[in-house]
Amino acid sequence: MEMTVSVNDNINGTLILPIVEGTESIPEDCERGLPQSMKAQINKVLGGGDFKAKAKTTLSLVGGEDGNIILSGLGKGDAITVHDYRKAGAAVFANIKKIHGNDFTVRFMDAGVAHMAAFAEGMMLRDYSYDNYKMKDDDNEEDSTKQIRLACSEKEAGELTSLVEKYRGIAKGVHLSRDLGNCPPNDMYPEEFADRAWEWAKQYDNVEVSIINYDQALKAGMGGLVAVGKGSSRKPCMVIFEMNKDIKGKCPVLVGKGITFDTGGISLKPGANMDEMKYDMGGSATVFGTMEALAQTGHKGKVVGITCMAENMPAANATRPGDVIKGLSGKTIEILNTDAEGRLVLSDGLWKAGEFNPEYIVDFATLTGACVVALGHEATGLWSNNDGFRSRIHDAGNAVDELAWPMPLLPAFEKEMTDSKIADTRNLGAGRWGGANTAAAFLKQFVPNVDYDKDGEQITWAHMDIAGTYWGAKTNNMVKNGATGVHVRTMHHLITQG
Ligand code: BES
Ligand code: ZN
Ligand code: ZN
């Protein structure tokens, strides 16, 4: 898709008209350049009540003598937000058919630049399909590049252009996250992720990627990463992204769970839907996608990303339930269930994060089925050791319409996870209740203090469980299916504006 801003009155190709509920005819200031027949056709439909402009609806008028039209519903006038505009843009894009051609002009009715840009953002976000593994089809509607012109006034053009440019960059990050998540697990394994990150970094002068391979991880004492990944022929690794690394001072550090496939290991998962465990690297894809969004939008601050990559397989040399390991932090972990592996790789990633002088640490993980039980596919679980920081993330999520719901980090859960008979911690709760909370409480044991000072204060940290939101979110209308790329936009907002 190519999105441009245009100040002339011409309607190129199919006209897209976002409309507020209750509009009975095209307002005068929106008529510029509209052929008489088109105007009549639209006014007939609106006046006759044939298109109510309910939120996220569209009506396609094709075959008219002056060209095709897509009417796009925004919902009720007084309550329309940027989110409604974004959803309307996505709904329009989802309903584009071959007959609409490849050229489009969007004409807004007194929308305001922020709303116009949000509509464009919705179109860009929805412009995604993953068909790398499908035979090319000559008839494929999605093959040709669409040209979308956003009509606006001269006064609006500058601001609209820069917002569209920003959203284009962020959408690239979201789509990268989705590409990584959708990739089948035979082709997406720890070293492949690392290779892609390495190749990706070459296009930016201000980004560096370094890889801690299996041997180095062993040597460094990354016992959690090694315990999870050693049973696979695809060995684990840690990938570190550094943006603007020469800038002095504290910076955000993002940590991602990157299990490229989670069989459960020796604590093998049941067969049903196990294929979905290819998405268990969604947290690492969120980190990588956020780095892309920041790089694309020219972020000037320092940011670090750490992804903990491993494939969790059952094997003769796999970790057993009952094994006790020691990771980077020096704390020992009794592994009671090898399917609770995300927290093991993250324990090393979180501890490693302390080396980068974090302003704060945020981790992303498809961590627990229990989080999906609690929140369904509608919200990410959000925990933090700092109430103010938790609110900031919640607000950043709301600002971009990605819901992150506050969950409790209670001392009782910490007690449960440090109550091993033989080790400092255990990777499984005492019972099955509150499984998302016990997982968060376990992670907290591995968040370092500032400067690793054992009497110091713990680094500000938040944990985001995206098990329910990284895929399978049917009500997310920025996404048709597969990986959602959730929270790239939240993090971009938090880091650049939050
Ligand atoms: N990757 C899974 C979590 C998961 C399950 C995400 C279903 C999305 C959908 C994770 O590694 C896992 O298996 N967690 C276990 C933890 C349990 C053994 C304490 C779970 O949630 O059952
Ligand atoms: Zn698991
Ligand atoms: Zn997992």
Side-chain angles (χ1 to χ4, degrees), residues 12-16 100-105 145-149:
N12 267 32
T14 296
L15 169 68
I16 298 172
H100 296 115
N102 289 321
D103 293 310
F104 300 84
T105 301
T145 308
K146 295 183 177 63
Q147 307 277 345
I148 318 247
R149 289 155 26 106

Side-chain angles (χ1 to χ4, degrees), residues 75 111 238 269 286 310 336 392 402 434:
M238 193 178 273
K269 283 183 179 299
T286 309
L336 291 164
R392 269 179 71 194
E402 293 182 328

